[in-house]
Amino acid sequence: MKRLVFLGTALTLMVMLLFSCNKNRFDLDHLESVQGSGQWKLPIGSMHVTAMDVLNQLGENNLISQDEAGNLLIRYSFPMENLVEGYTMLTLGSFNSEATFYFDTPVWDKSIIDTVFYVRQAVPVDADSASIVSAKIKEGTLIQTYQGNLTSMLVDVRISSPNIIMADGDTLNTDASYVDLAGASLSIGQDKEMTDTLYFNYAIHCLLEEITEPSYDLTSIIGITNLKLSELSGYIDSYVYEYSQDSSFSLGLSNLHGQLAFVDAQMRVEEKNTFGNLNAQLCIDRAEFYGGNAQPSSVFSHYPYVLNLVESSTYTDITPSGETVTIGINTEYDRFGFDASFNLNPGQEMNLVTITDTSSLSLKLHATIPLKFNSTGISYLDTMNLDMSSVETPEIVKQILLSVSFDSEMPFNLNAQIYTLDPETEQITDSLVMNPLHIGASFTGKPVHSEAQISVTHKRLEHLFKSKNLMMRFDIDTDGHDAVITTTSGLGISLKADVIYGGEENF
């Protein structure tokens, strides 16, 4: 995020950056004295810089590209991987179910009765809001314990279930107290209206002797511990997953003050949904930049911003085509907030859904931002190192007239001001420009010519020579237009100087 905003703002304010990208352009440190020279010459020259020149000075980056027309674009991706993962829905944990069976004492003329009682137990099974039709067990252990006055007469208890198919392909049939279910599968039913129930059949082998009670009871406690499924097929009534994130960032542009709006930005939302046959919706409730005392700037034009998700093993664009947004950036912003919810099966449709422990729902937000912006005012403050303390100001020099001409292809107005600073307090001591230098905007692509005269008096020269730093302030505005920066947008500058000695002009 930091690089995105930095590069975008830097490009739109490239004229401002010209003065800081090469601060030694007018290095006067080599001057020691001008006394007796008869003439003092300031650097005179011309230059032309384009958007590509500024890009080259910013270094290599993968965010900036250009279209066929030469318009510059910022491209940025914000991935949100595995927002919903299948294994979280398939980890069912541990559960127990108990049932008590009662047996009347048989009236037989035998002192010892060897018999088997047959009973059935129904165990409800659910996975939150999912109705299970079939499942594959990744891990889990079946545990059987018994209580009641019949336990003293038990020989063994054999338990079976038509719903549990073991790893070897046979249905569950065992008299063991502990059964490893890894690799087994569940088959519960194919009808949505069927109850999610596992059935356990008991063959209770008892040896009854010295019968003293009119009836006997046996409580079966059957449980499954650490149950995890690798796959589940069933019906989801409704499942809502909420996601919220607020992240901080730094623009790294403490010299900038103000706000601008990028126009015709495209926000593309891509999703990868490997939940089989699952209808889902993404509902974005908030996506905004904010920070400081500035008003937050929303990414989308309205909320909730609802998108339908589709099943896809690869990232698929789900954004309405042709939709653009305006993204406002304020220099006080230092936070980005995003709130969304995922509604799985929002219409509660009767679709058989398959979930695996590798199923996931992921998003990617792609921003394509053309360098097309508008602003009522952005200010840029910077300082230029300048040590001319060893240069003495000859009394013969009364005034220096600087003539600056600009040929601008930039689609915004630029006003520039330069101040001298006290070397100790860093307070402003003077302005080298009485009226800010104005560089007119070019809204047609043709260069717009502007000229300015700077008069540097003897008193200002003293301030200049004493100052160790110059403060520069640049203000831009687009005059109500949408400014578009291209690779060929540029600025030409030429500078001439006239030195006036004791009232006489010298060229």
Side-chain angles (χ1 to χ4, degrees), residues 10 79 230 252 274 371 448 454:
S230 60
T274 58
L371 290 186
V448 172
I454 304 175

Side-chain angles (χ1 to χ4, degrees), residues 331-367:
T331 55
E332 294 189 38
Y333 291 158
D334 59 1
R335 304 278 291 174
F336 178 75
F338 183 81
D339 295 336
S341 61
F342 302 90
N343 191 342
L344 309 184
N345 195 22
Q348 297 187 351
E349 299 179 13
M350 307 284 273
N351 293 330
L352 184 65
V353 176
T354 299
I355 302 173
T356 70
D357 57 356
T358 59
S359 296
S360 65
L361 176 62
S362 301
L363 293 180
K364 283 184 180 180
L365 271 65
H366 297 278

Side-chain angles (χ1 to χ4, degrees), residues 392-403:
E392 299 180 8
T393 309
E395 293 296 331
I396 192 173
V397 177
K398 301 300 180 182
Q399 186 181 18
I400 298 176
L401 295 178
L402 298 178
S403 176

Side-chain angles (χ1 to χ4, degrees), residues 435-457:
N435 297 312
L437 297 178
H438 177 74
I439 304 173
S442 171
F443 298 115
T444 63
K446 296 181 180 180
V448 172
H449 186 77
S450 305
E451 292 187 355
Q453 296 286 335
I454 304 175
S455 174
V456 184
T457 63

Side-chain angles (χ1 to χ4, degrees), residues 44 399-403 453 496-500 505-507:
I44 300 173
Q399 186 181 18
I400 298 176
L401 295 178
L402 298 178
S403 176
Q453 296 286 335
K496 297 180 180 180
D498 296 338
V499 182
I500 300 176
E505 290 191 2
N506 292 271
F507 302 93

